[in-house]
Amino acid sequence: MKRILLILFAVVLISCGNSKNSEEFINTVQGNYLFNSDESIGIRFNEEGEMNIRWRGKENIEPLKVNDSTFYIQEMNEKFIFRTQPKVHIVLAPKREHDGRTYQFDKMAKGEKTPREYLLNKEYDKALAGYQLIQQKDSLDKTIRERNFNRLGYKMIRAGKFDEAIEIFKINTIMYPKSSNTYDSLADGYLQNKDTANAILYYKKALSINPENRSSNRMLKKITEK
């Protein structure tokens, strides 16, 4: 029994020991993959030909190479299987926790970004177009929730990035034109940026949708009483 275990252990070490990858494999799979509608996974290789993964703020995740196309990522507790047909993509190795579902991440075109990446890169028109496309495909997609844009906009305000906040709030008003709250937030952004005229305009717009918006009523009264 011990002999068998030692043999198995040796086989595992041999199969996982060579972490380098072929030039053909590197050229084929290197790039970004769409993890979900607004997140990407980056696949990179160092000078030694070893894979590094970027995911959710972590830049240098080092996977364990299982074989020439399969890699185990401890941080995700998942195995990536790289496939090239009918196009380059990643699938997750099946496991019980997946409940029978198949997970596939398609490779993105060179230079392509997620809407959030466009947003943080201040490419607001491209970000809006990306979010609208998500909305057309699935209006309930959690990445385009109104409160998520709002939260990000106020985060920018707290950081003193008022122009960025205004652009994010603008996107929210376009995504949710019937929401009084989106215009109230846009007005807050303008007010923080010392643009009183536009602040008044959008507080009034918020109230035209919902006359009971207490925040807009309070702020409008505060401004006009000065």
Side-chain angles (χ1 to χ4, degrees):
M1 184 66 180
K2 286 184 179 181
R3 182 179 177 83
I4 294 173
L5 289 174
L6 285 171
I7 292 172
L8 289 173
F9 183 65
V11 169
V12 170
L13 283 178
I14 292 169
S15 65
C16 296
N18 184 11
S19 59
K20 294 183 179 181
N21 299 280
S22 71
E23 186 175 346
E24 181 183 0
F25 179 79
I26 291 172
N27 292 335
T28 300
V29 307
Q30 184 166 246
N32 295 327
Y33 293 75
L34 199 60
F35 181 63
N36 60 38
S37 56
D38 206 19
E39 283 186 280
S40 66
I41 300 171
I43 303 297
R44 304 288 182 269
F45 294 86
N46 61 23
E47 293 179 355
E48 288 73 38
E50 297 169 337
M51 183 182 292
N52 286 301
I53 297 175
R54 172 192 54 76
W55 181 65
R56 291 188 172 174
K58 298 178 180 179
E59 293 292 332
N60 293 299
I61 297 173
E62 298 180 0
L64 174 65
K65 184 176 180 179
V66 179
N67 57 45
D68 286 343
S69 62
T70 305
F71 297 78
Y72 174 70
I73 296 84
Q74 183 177 2
E75 288 79 356
M76 302 173 72
N77 192 26
E78 299 285 358
K79 284 182 184 177
F80 281 10
I81 303 174
F82 288 85
R83 293 181 176 167
T84 58
Q85 297 296 332
K87 58 184 179 180
V88 180
H89 62 281
I90 298 169
V91 294
L92 295 185
K95 66 179 187 179
R96 184 177 58 188
E97 290 81 356
H98 293 169
D99 293 325
R101 289 176 292 182
T102 300
Y103 292 89
Q104 175 173 322
F105 313 130
D106 293 333
K107 189 177 183 182
M108 301 168 69
K110 188 175 181 179
E112 182 184 358
K113 298 181 179 73
T114 64
R116 184 177 179 86
E117 288 167 342
Y118 281 127
L119 190 69
L120 296 179
N121 203 39
K122 300 183 183 180
E123 298 178 78
Y124 299 114
D125 289 342
K126 290 181 179 180
L128 174 60
Y131 284 127
Q132 287 178 316
L133 186 61
I134 293 172
Q135 192 175 50
Q136 291 169 13
K137 291 179 179 178
D138 182 5
S139 62
L140 299 179
D141 191 305
K142 64 181 181 180
T143 66
I144 57 168
R145 288 173 180 166
E146 179 186 329
R147 65 174 178 267
N148 291 346
F149 292 114
N150 234 33
R151 189 180 299 118
L152 181 58
Y154 283 110
K155 180 180 179 180
M156 293 297 178
I157 285 180
R158 290 191 296 272
K161 299 178 180 180
F162 304 128
D163 289 335
E164 288 92 329
I166 288 168
E167 294 298 332
I168 293 166
F169 289 141
K170 281 182 180 178
I171 288 174
N172 213 12
T173 63
I174 296 171
M175 296 288 288
Y176 299 98
K178 296 181 180 180
S179 169
S180 175
N181 186 55
T182 62
Y183 291 100
D184 177 77
S185 297
L186 179 56
D188 285 346
Y190 278 118
L191 188 63
Q192 290 291 328
N193 206 31
K194 302 187 185 307
D195 186 345
T196 306
N198 270 317
I200 291 172
L201 175 66
Y202 287 105
Y203 283 132
K204 287 183 176 179
K205 176 67 175 179
L207 289 169
S208 71
I209 297 172
N210 177 20
E212 302 301 319
N213 188 317
R214 289 182 293 179
S215 174
S216 292
N217 271 312
R218 183 179 67 255
M219 295 307 298
L220 193 58
K221 185 177 179 180
K222 184 176 179 180
I223 294 171
T224 55
E225 283 181 349
K226 288 184 178 179

